[in-house]
């Protein structure tokens, strides 16, 4: 078990005048305080996977990520904490001979062995997934027996881990909407599955062009983890800010204002997009008056 720093994570009121005018309450579920190096949804999604790895006698984890992947760093730290080896397959073979950026250096310093794949190879391996027999065989041949975690860490166990978030929210009912950013869909899938009857989940997509695909991913995770689909969630695709990793000036200004007003440092690529989207949707009258939103603060700002 990867010991959390703080569990359950704090729930704090964060209604501001603009939201109050729209008749909407906002609370923050401070999952960013869960663990200093495996924060937020990384801890929620990894904890059950690590427990399974240890139980199944695995000694090595293998996963995938881009040059600045939070998931790679989190897996590296979490594996080391449990005495497991870790391997990270990184998108971009050109990175192999360059000095490591801060993120890959952190993963390596935590003990992760990195290998670099061309973009085509990476797309092929992550696209087919470790469930594909040829892919699994190729990985085991090259890296030996290991537990393979998907890119972003979203699998059935990850969704089950994230389902503990709504279980920490008391008195959820028909006026509640529990909200999170969506990258691969695992966090949203878990939140929706963990809600009591009447409450709803809202995901805000942080990447462009994910409509349809992301809904399919959430439904797939629901079938894999719970053997059924859920009808209590939706994804907003109108607030990706131009695409994954893009932080337009308007979003940056919102984040700075929010940080000043509420004294909390915001991760920009996911968390700030979520909070800006909620403010925008509330101002547009998308939530009924009396609605209570709970925004899950799924991560910490980058250390640099
Ligand atoms: C801070 C943060 N929030 C949200 C997400 C998206 O979660 P998911 O991939 O489960 O949709 C990520 C993904 O890596 C993240 O780093």
């Amino acid at each position: 078990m990867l010991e959390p720093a703080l569990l359950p994570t704090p729930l704090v009121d964060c209604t501001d005048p603009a939201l109050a005018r729209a008749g909407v309450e906002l609370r923050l579920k401070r999952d960013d305080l869960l663990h200093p190096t495996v924060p937020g949804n990384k801890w929620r999604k990894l904890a059950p996977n690590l427990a399974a790895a240890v139980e199944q006698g695995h000694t090595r984890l293998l996963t995938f990520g881009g040059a600045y992947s939070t998931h790679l760093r989190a897996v590296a730290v979490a594996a080391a904490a449990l005495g497991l080896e870790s391997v990270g397959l990184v998108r971009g073979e050109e990175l192999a001979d360059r000095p490591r950026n801060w993120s890959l250096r952190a993963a390596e310093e935590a003990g992760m062995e990195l290998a670099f794949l061309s973009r085509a190879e990476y797309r092929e391996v992550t696209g087919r997934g470790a469930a594909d027999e040829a892919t699994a065989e190729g990985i085991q041949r090259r890296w030996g027996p290991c537990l393979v975690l998907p890119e972003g860490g979203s699998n059935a166990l990850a969704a089950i881990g994230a389902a503990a978030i709504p279980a920490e929210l008391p008195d959820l009912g028909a006026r509640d909407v529990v909200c999170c950013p969506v990258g691969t869909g695992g966090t949203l899938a878990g939140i929706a599955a963990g809600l009591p009857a009447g409450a709803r989940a809202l995901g805000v997509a942080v990447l462009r062009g994910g409509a349809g695909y992301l809904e399919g991913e959430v439904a797939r995770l629901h079938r894999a983890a719970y053997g059924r689909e859920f009808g209590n969630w939706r994804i907003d695709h109108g607030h990706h800010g131009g695409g994954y990793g893009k932080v337009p000036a308007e979003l940056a200004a919102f984040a700075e204002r929010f940080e000043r007003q509420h004294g909390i440092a915001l991760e920009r690529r996911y968390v700030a997009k979520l909070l800006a989207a909620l403010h925008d949707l509330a101002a547009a009258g998308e939530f009924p008056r009396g609605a209570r939103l709970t925004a899950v603060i799924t991560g910490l700002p980058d250390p640099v």
Side-chain angles (χ1 to χ4, degrees):
M1 170 76 173
L2 180 67
E3 283 304 321
L6 194 58
L7 202 66
T9 55
L11 182 62
V12 296
D13 185 60
C14 191
T15 310
D16 63 28
L19 292 172
R21 271 196 301 280
V24 170
E25 276 175 52
L26 174 65
R27 310 181 301 178
L28 306 184
K29 175 68 170 155
R30 294 291 308 269
D31 261 26
D32 52 322
L33 304 177
L34 225 173
H35 192 282
T37 45
V38 189
N41 72 338
K42 300 293 164 235
W43 192 95
R44 299 278 187 188
K45 295 200 291 184
L46 276 173
N49 275 291
L50 292 167
V54 170
E55 199 180 297
Q56 292 162 18
H58 282 287
T59 56
R60 170 175 275 201
L61 303 178
L62 180 143
T63 194
F64 312 90
Y68 291 94
S69 166
T70 312
H71 170 67
L72 280 185
R73 295 197 305 281
V75 169
V77 169
L82 295 184
L84 304 172
E85 293 176 355
S86 64
V87 174
L89 303 189
V90 184
R91 181 178 54 228
E93 62 190 339
E94 73 282 0
L95 299 169
D97 304 322
R98 289 199 200 146
R100 299 284 187 256
N101 66 37
W102 65 269
S103 183
L104 295 175
R105 190 165 59 240
E108 257 178 353
E109 281 172 4
M112 179 173 263
E113 181 175 351
L114 299 180
F116 296 84
L117 304 184
S118 71
R119 273 144 222 279
E121 256 180 309
Y122 186 90
R123 229 182 354 259
E124 206 183 307
V125 176
T126 53
R128 277 193 269 127
D132 175 76
E133 237 171 74
T135 309
E137 249 179 52
I139 287 175
Q140 309 283 332
R141 227 184 0 260
R142 168 68 181 85
W143 298 103
C146 51
L147 183 71
V148 179
L149 297 173
E151 189 181 29
S154 288
N155 57 13
L157 283 177
I160 290 167
I165 299 171
E168 291 173 17
L169 301 172
D171 309 324
L172 289 180
R175 73 187 185 110
D176 282 291
V177 187
V178 181
C179 312
C180 70
V182 177
T184 58
T187 309
L188 176 63
I191 289 172
L195 288 175
R200 305 189 57 80
L202 170 67
V204 171
V206 303
L207 45 101
R208 189 158 74 167
Y213 167 75
L214 287 174
E215 281 81 359
E217 281 300 291
V218 173
R220 180 183 68 76
L221 288 163
H222 279 152
R223 289 191 300 274
Y226 299 96
R228 69 179 183 96
E229 294 184 14
F230 291 76
N232 61 353
W233 58 277
R234 74 175 183 90
I235 300 178
D236 169 85
H237 291 281
H239 296 86
H240 52 66
Y244 180 74
K246 298 263 193 307
V247 182
E250 199 185 335
L251 176 62
F254 169 87
E256 280 162 31
R257 215 166 40 241
F258 192 96
E259 287 177 326
R260 267 199 313 277
Q261 218 168 354
H262 299 289
I264 158 177
L266 293 187
E267 188 280 334
R268 295 298 197 266
R269 283 167 298 169
Y270 293 91
V271 175
K273 272 185 194 178
L274 167 70
L275 291 169
L278 296 183
H279 278 76
D280 195 45
L281 292 170
E286 293 283 330
F287 302 110
R289 294 190 80 78
R292 182 168 65 175
L293 313 181
T294 304
V296 182
I297 308 302
T298 46
L300 282 170
D302 287 343
V304 286

